[in-house]
Amino acid sequence: MMKNVRTDFTIRKSTHEDIKIMVDIWYKSSVIAHDFIPIAYWQENLEAMETIYLPSSENYVILKSGEIIGFVALINQYLASIFVSPENQRLGAGKELMKFVKSIRNNLELKVYCKNEPTVQFYKSQGFSIIDNSIDDSTREKEYVMQWIINN
């Protein structure tokens, strides 16, 4: 259910100073969205997210009233991460981030856990199609490979 809140968002390229906030959003959101994965997995990956994954990605943050509430991480045409803080979900920030990345890419691919049905549905609503299945090496969970291609 969509909250009746009119929010204006700002999206900008992230800076090094944003990384800790992004990691916090990633962690809090991941624990909730992926309750089928032990919390220890997310805790064990905090440092790698901060020192390896986010620094090696092309990242954009979304702000509401000057505060970072979410981000998207890209590696070429791969949408590596898109997260909105739990308290700011369902305000349209995820859709705004998706609209933004579609404006800077002609096609996108991503992987999403099959058990994360709300997120699978979100991606489908954003024009993504399931093109393959795989198993995540680190969690052994089934995931979908999804793709979006710009309609010319």
Side-chain angles (χ1 to χ4, degrees):
M1 183 171 171
M2 192 75 151
K3 295 177 185 174
N4 289 330
V5 178
R6 174 73 179 113
T7 308
D8 292 314
F9 299 112
T10 305
I11 297 175
R12 65 164 171 80
K13 194 160 181 57
S14 71
T15 66
H16 180 72
E17 290 75 31
D18 299 331
I19 298 258
K20 286 197 183 296
I21 296 167
M22 294 163 64
V23 170
D24 186 58
I25 291 169
W26 166 81
Y27 177 76
K28 288 177 180 173
S29 299
S30 292
V31 167
I32 293 168
H34 310 111
D35 58 358
F36 48 89
I37 295 173
I39 197 167
Y41 172 80
W42 305 109
Q43 293 167 340
E44 292 164 6
N45 282 282
L46 280 164
E47 185 179 347
M49 192 69 169
E50 182 176 343
T51 61
I52 299 168
Y53 299 123
L54 287 174
S56 65
S57 300
E58 177 185 345
N59 304 307
Y60 298 90
V61 292
I62 188 163
L63 299 93
K64 178 180 86 174
S65 303
E67 176 189 349
I68 296 172
I69 62 163
F71 71 93
V72 62
L74 299 164
I75 301 170
N76 299 316
Q77 306 303 318
Y78 185 71
L79 198 159
S81 301
I82 182 169
F83 287 98
V84 175
S85 64
E87 62 274 14
N88 286 288
Q89 291 178 2
R90 304 207 182 286
L91 299 176
K95 289 179 183 174
E96 285 299 314
L97 281 168
M98 193 62 73
K99 183 176 158 184
F100 174 77
V101 295
K102 288 175 172 180
S103 76
I104 61 171
R105 295 293 193 272
N106 290 327
N107 62 77
L108 293 165
E109 196 168 290
L110 59 86
K111 291 181 181 178
V112 59
Y113 293 116
C114 298
K115 289 180 183 175
N116 188 356
E117 189 60 31
T119 302
V120 172
Q121 291 307 315
F122 170 75
Y123 290 133
K124 285 181 176 180
S125 79
Q126 297 301 304
F128 283 78
S129 301
I130 297 169
I131 59 167
D132 204 357
N133 297 295
S134 63
I135 301 285
D136 180 50
D137 291 335
S138 55
T139 63
R140 306 307 307 154
E141 286 287 337
K142 292 179 184 176
E143 56 190 5
Y144 294 125
V145 178
M146 299 184 80
Q147 183 179 57
W148 169 83
I149 300 174
I150 195 167
N151 295 324
N152 289 329

